[in-house]
Each structure stands twice: as structure tokens, then as C-alpha cells.
Amino acid sequence: MFFEKEYAAGRVRAMRSTLLGKEMLQEIENAKTVSDMLLTIAGTHYEHAFAKRSLEKSERELFAHKAKSIKKVLSFMPQAYYNAFLVFSLEIDAKNLKRCAQGFSGGMSWNQIKQDLEQTGLVFKKTNETHISDFEMLCSVLRETVWNTALRKCLEHQTSEQSLALITHEIDAFVFSRALESENYSIKRFFIEKRDLLDFRLIMLSKNAGMPVPENLLFSPENKESILQKYHHFDESTIEKDIENHLLSISRGLLEKEPFASGLFIDFFCRKEFEAHHISRSARNACAKTSPAVLEATI
């Protein structure tokens, strides 16, 4: 088992060495045009994502990186780590389930929805060869999986005015419940932060809109005040960035504590996701500064 863990840690450290450094990320963010940004990422493992000639398709490619990385890491993890880290694979499933719910709610066809799915994970595997006509059929196809109970609860919300928000909440709640059941302290701590940050984001969005906080969409409504105090230093104008930076800070702390164990894997997954968000934001900002004619010729 020791050698299996050492081997897995060595593979992840090698994958981690391909992540972009702070200077390159800053250069990407500072790009004044799409052409400048593409020149910056040329030669990196993100270059091919922008070969799709569509910003939306390019973003899908960017966010597929983390999913592919998780699949790869799980493929060589020893069993002792594999079981604990399956919760990260559940996050991929959750993303796909939410995309399905949003797609069906918006009247999209299954062929359209499938284009947006991460092509890995249990949900993709179970639905890839099946034509899904609606959300009820999706729940039926996944009845024999770990998602069964959560999806049954989702179906109960379909007649509610907040149906999509409640379904999304139910899906995320299942992921958090599995993480908190883990015996791995680092995974527990990381997902508690993610859960509390989602609550904080909802509280702030509600307050900024001048609306009461929908407590049925909070994961820990009883901790609302302590969560506000916990993140009181966040800037309302940069809340998304502050959330990402906070999670990166947590992952770095876990890496320092466990440089050859769980902290290493968590930090790698966290940084992989951060890169996708960072490049996506930078691409959108660069597109906003570029004329439509030039943009069409560039991407």
C-alpha cells in the first residue's frame, strides 16, 4: 500500500507541474485582445480548447479539464484513497445532473443537452447510449445508482415555483452529505468550506437584490450569522474571485499539511478548476474588448 500511495502522489505531482503559474495567469488576465490571450496560452495544455471557434464550446473544453483530470487520477489511485476521493467524481455527476435539469426546464432537446455534459462520470456513462425524453426519465434511468434518493427528492420539487433552484440544491446537498460522511479530515474540511461559501454567496446575492434570504435553499440556515461573520472581509464587488481565492488558500494549507497525501490531491483538483474559471473570465473580458468582426476571425 505504501508504494501504491507513493506512486499515486508522484503521478499527481507530475500532473501538478503542468499547471499554469501566477505570472502566466496574470498575463492571461491582462490580455487586451483575444489574440493576445491566445498567444499567451499557446503551447500550454489549454491551447486546444480554443480551436472550437466558439467561446461557449471553448469554455466547455476548459471546464472538461478538471473532469478528465479526476478520472485520470482515480484510475491510478490506491483503493484506500479511491473511496475517499469518489466525492470529487460525484461533483462531476452533480454538474451533469444540474445541466440536465436546466436544459429540460429551458425546453432543450436531449441532443442539445448532451453537448453540454462532461463526458465522464456515472451519469454520463448511464445516459450516453440512451435517449432521455425528460427529467423524470433521467431519474428512472439512474434509479439503481447512488443518486436514487436525491433524485426522488428532486422529483418532489417539480411542482414548486422554485423547482429548478430546489433541484439544484438537492443535488449539491447530496454531494456535501457524502463528503461529510468521509473519514478523511482534509476532504471534510474542504467541502465544509465549499458548502458554507455557497450559503454565503446566496445570502449576499439576496441582500444585494433587496430580497429576503431563501432559507430553504441554504445548506446550514442555522449557521447563517456565523457564516456572514466568517466571510465578512469579502468584497461584494469581487465575491466570485474571493471565493475562489479562499478555496485555493484552504487547498494550499492542506497541501502543506499533507504534501504526499490527501492535501496534494485536493490542491491539484482545486487549482485545476481555478485555472478553468480564470481563463474563462479572461476570455470573456477579452472578447468584450474585441470588435465582432475581429473576434469572428480570431476564435
Side-chain angles (χ1 to χ4, degrees):
M1 180 60 73
F2 172 79
F3 293 109
E4 289 178 341
K5 289 183 178 180
E6 287 290 299
Y7 172 75
R11 288 282 300 269
V12 172
R13 291 183 83 84
M15 292 170 71
R16 197 168 169 272
S17 68
T18 66
L19 295 171
L20 307 183
K22 287 183 180 179
E23 289 183 6
M24 181 172 283
L25 288 172
Q26 190 60 55
E27 194 175 339
I28 291 169
E29 187 173 342
N30 294 340
K32 294 181 179 178
T33 66
V34 175
S35 296
D36 288 344
M37 199 196 79
L38 294 181
L39 281 173
T40 304
I41 64 172
T44 72
H45 46 279
Y46 291 112
E47 181 180 15
H48 80 281
F50 287 89
K52 300 293 182 180
R53 304 191 69 80
S54 158
L55 182 59
E56 287 73 21
K57 288 180 180 178
S58 295
E59 285 188 312
R60 284 202 290 268
E61 285 292 313
L62 286 172
F63 290 110
H65 269 283
K66 182 189 176 187
K68 291 173 183 175
S69 295
I70 290 172
K71 182 181 179 182
K72 185 175 181 180
V73 173
L74 286 174
S75 72
F76 57 70
M77 264 191 177
Q79 196 66 36
Y81 281 176
Y82 181 86
N83 293 335
F85 276 87
L86 271 178
V87 67
F88 286 91
S89 186
L90 286 177
E91 280 195 306
I92 300 170
D93 288 341
K95 195 172 185 179
N96 280 343
L97 288 172
K98 287 185 280 186
R99 281 176 171 168
C100 289
Q102 289 159 3
F104 287 127
S105 176
M108 293 172 66
S109 70
W110 178 241
N111 286 338
Q112 290 174 309
I113 293 170
K114 274 186 75 173
Q115 292 177 22
D116 284 338
L117 300 184
E118 304 289 3
Q119 298 188 6
T120 185
L122 177 65
V123 172
F124 177 77
K125 181 181 177 182
K126 289 284 186 181
T127 61
N128 188 34
E129 301 298 329
T130 307
H131 179 81
I132 309 295
S133 57
D134 51 33
F135 190 72
E136 288 85 348
M137 184 177 177
L138 176 71
C139 296
S140 178
V141 168
L142 297 171
R143 188 173 55 242
E144 302 301 323
T145 71
V146 295
W147 286 100
N148 181 45
T149 301
L151 289 176
R152 276 192 289 133
K153 291 179 182 177
C154 289
L155 287 174
E156 293 171 7
H157 296 311
Q158 284 205 299
T159 56
S160 166
E161 291 182 5
Q162 294 179 301
S163 60
L164 191 55
L166 287 167
I167 286 171
T168 298
H169 180 268
E170 207 69 65
I171 290 167
D172 284 334
F174 174 71
V175 175
F176 290 135
S177 70
R178 289 297 292 262
L180 298 184
E181 287 170 3
S182 174
E183 295 180 0
N184 186 300
Y185 167 80
S186 297
I187 290 175
K188 263 187 187 177
R189 185 184 172 197
F190 188 70
F191 277 89
I192 286 172
E193 289 292 336
K194 291 186 96 167
R195 181 198 65 188
D196 288 352
L197 284 165
L198 277 182
D199 276 355
F200 177 74
R201 182 177 179 274
L202 179 60
I203 292 167
M204 296 309 296
L205 288 174
S206 301
K207 289 180 74 173
N208 292 342
M211 299 172 64
V213 179
E215 299 211 357
N216 61 331
L217 297 179
L218 294 175
F219 299 102
S220 304
E222 70 281 2
N223 296 327
K224 186 170 62 176
E225 294 306 319
S226 62
I227 286 172
L228 277 171
Q229 183 59 35
K230 186 178 180 181
Y231 306 116
H232 73 279
H233 56 287
F234 282 15
D235 190 324
E236 289 182 17
S237 63
T238 58
I239 189 168
E240 300 296 342
K241 238 179 173 180
D242 286 348
I243 286 173
E244 285 179 16
N245 287 336
H246 182 72
L247 285 173
L248 280 170
S249 175
I250 294 294
S251 73
R252 279 195 298 270
L254 294 173
L255 173 65
E256 289 171 6
K257 185 179 178 182
E258 300 177 306
F260 299 98
S262 298
L264 169 65
F265 301 121
I266 292 170
D267 185 67
F268 173 72
F269 292 149
C270 187
R271 284 186 59 189
K272 196 74 175 177
E273 185 170 22
F274 169 76
E275 282 189 351
H277 283 290
H278 191 101
I279 297 172
S280 174
R281 270 199 307 267
S282 299
R284 288 197 169 272
N285 289 338
C287 286
K289 301 171 188 172
T290 307
S291 70
V294 174
L295 183 60
E296 188 175 342
T298 305
I299 296 186

